[in-house]
Amino acid sequence: MVICTIPDVMTWLIDPSQWIDAVQAIHWDLPMELAKLGDKPLEVDLGGDVQKSFDNFVKTGQVWAFLIGIILGYLVKTFTTYG
Protein backbone atom coordinates (compact mmCIF):
# COMPACT_ATOMS: atom_id res chain seq x y z
CA MET A 1 0.00 0.00 0.00
CA VAL A 2 2.82 2.42 0.80
CA ILE A 3 4.55 1.57 -2.47
CA CYS A 4 1.38 2.42 -4.39
CA THR A 5 1.17 5.91 -2.86
CA ILE A 6 4.80 6.88 -3.49
CA PRO A 7 4.20 7.97 -7.13
CA ASP A 8 1.22 10.07 -6.03
CA VAL A 9 3.28 11.83 -3.35
CA MET A 10 6.12 12.49 -5.77
CA THR A 11 3.70 13.95 -8.32
CA TRP A 12 2.24 16.21 -5.67
CA LEU A 13 5.68 17.42 -4.61
CA ILE A 14 6.74 18.20 -8.17
CA ASP A 15 3.54 19.90 -9.41
CA PRO A 16 3.25 23.45 -7.97
CA SER A 17 -0.40 23.81 -8.98
CA GLN A 18 -1.32 21.41 -6.21
CA TRP A 19 0.72 23.46 -3.72
CA ILE A 20 -1.39 26.50 -4.53
CA ASP A 21 -4.59 24.56 -3.87
CA ALA A 22 -3.25 23.39 -0.51
CA VAL A 23 -2.15 26.91 0.51
CA GLN A 24 -5.54 28.36 -0.44
CA ALA A 25 -7.32 25.68 1.59
CA ILE A 26 -5.16 26.45 4.63
CA HIS A 27 -5.58 30.21 4.15
CA TRP A 28 -9.36 30.05 4.27
CA ASP A 29 -9.27 28.08 7.53
CA LEU A 30 -7.14 30.63 9.40
CA PRO A 31 -8.87 32.92 11.91
CA MET A 32 -9.19 36.58 11.00
CA GLU A 33 -7.13 37.71 14.02
CA LEU A 34 -3.94 36.52 12.31
CA ALA A 35 -4.41 39.13 9.60
CA LYS A 36 -4.44 41.86 12.27
CA LEU A 37 -0.99 40.96 13.61
CA GLY A 38 0.72 43.22 11.08
CA ASP A 39 -1.35 46.31 11.90
CA LYS A 40 0.85 47.71 14.64
CA PRO A 41 4.45 46.86 15.50
CA LEU A 42 5.02 45.13 18.80
CA GLU A 43 7.28 46.96 21.22
CA VAL A 44 9.63 44.52 22.91
CA ASP A 45 11.99 45.50 25.69
CA LEU A 46 14.05 42.34 26.10
CA GLY A 47 16.55 43.88 28.53
CA GLY A 48 13.79 45.27 30.72
CA ASP A 49 11.93 41.95 30.74
CA VAL A 50 15.08 40.06 31.75
CA GLN A 51 15.82 42.60 34.51
CA LYS A 52 12.24 42.38 35.82
CA SER A 53 12.39 38.56 35.85
CA PHE A 54 15.75 38.53 37.65
CA ASP A 55 14.51 41.04 40.24
CA ASN A 56 11.49 38.82 40.88
CA PHE A 57 13.80 35.78 41.12
CA VAL A 58 15.85 37.53 43.83
CA LYS A 59 12.91 39.15 45.66
CA THR A 60 10.98 35.88 46.05
CA GLY A 61 14.02 34.07 47.48
CA GLN A 62 14.30 31.59 44.64
CA VAL A 63 17.96 32.50 44.15
CA TRP A 64 18.75 31.23 47.66
CA ALA A 65 16.82 28.03 47.09
CA PHE A 66 18.74 27.56 43.83
CA LEU A 67 22.13 28.07 45.48
CA ILE A 68 21.29 25.80 48.45
CA GLY A 69 20.08 23.13 45.99
CA ILE A 70 23.32 23.30 44.04
CA ILE A 71 25.42 23.00 47.21
CA LEU A 72 23.36 20.14 48.68
CA GLY A 73 23.30 18.35 45.33
CA TYR A 74 27.06 18.59 45.03
CA LEU A 75 27.53 17.31 48.58
CA VAL A 76 25.16 14.37 48.02
CA LYS A 77 26.94 13.50 44.78
CA THR A 78 30.34 13.74 46.46
CA PHE A 79 29.42 11.54 49.42
CA THR A 80 27.53 8.90 47.42
CA THR A 81 30.08 8.25 44.67
CA TYR A 82 33.08 6.01 44.99
CA GLY A 83 36.47 7.26 43.95
Side-chain angles (χ1 to χ4, degrees):
M1 178 166 174
V2 173
I3 295 173
C4 295
T5 59
I6 289 176
D8 296 332
V9 171
M10 294 307 293
T11 308
W12 185 82
L13 289 174
I14 294 171
D15 187 16
S17 66
Q18 294 183 6
W19 293 359
I20 295 170
D21 294 339
V23 169
Q24 286 176 347
I26 292 170
H27 171 72
W28 286 110
D29 291 336
L30 292 176
M32 291 302 291
E33 289 82 24
L34 288 178
K36 295 180 183 179
L37 287 177
D39 288 346
K40 60 181 178 178
L42 298 175
E43 295 182 19
V44 178
D45 183 18
L46 185 60
D49 291 343
V50 170
Q51 181 67 38
K52 193 183 327 178
S53 298
F54 184 75
D55 288 343
N56 186 42
F57 185 67
V58 172
K59 185 172 35 171
T60 57
Q62 293 177 3
V63 68
W64 297 114
F66 176 70
L67 292 174
I68 290 169
I70 288 176
I71 293 168
L72 288 177
Y74 178 76
L75 290 174
V76 167
K77 180 194 76 94
T78 303
F79 291 129
T80 58
T81 57
Y82 178 76

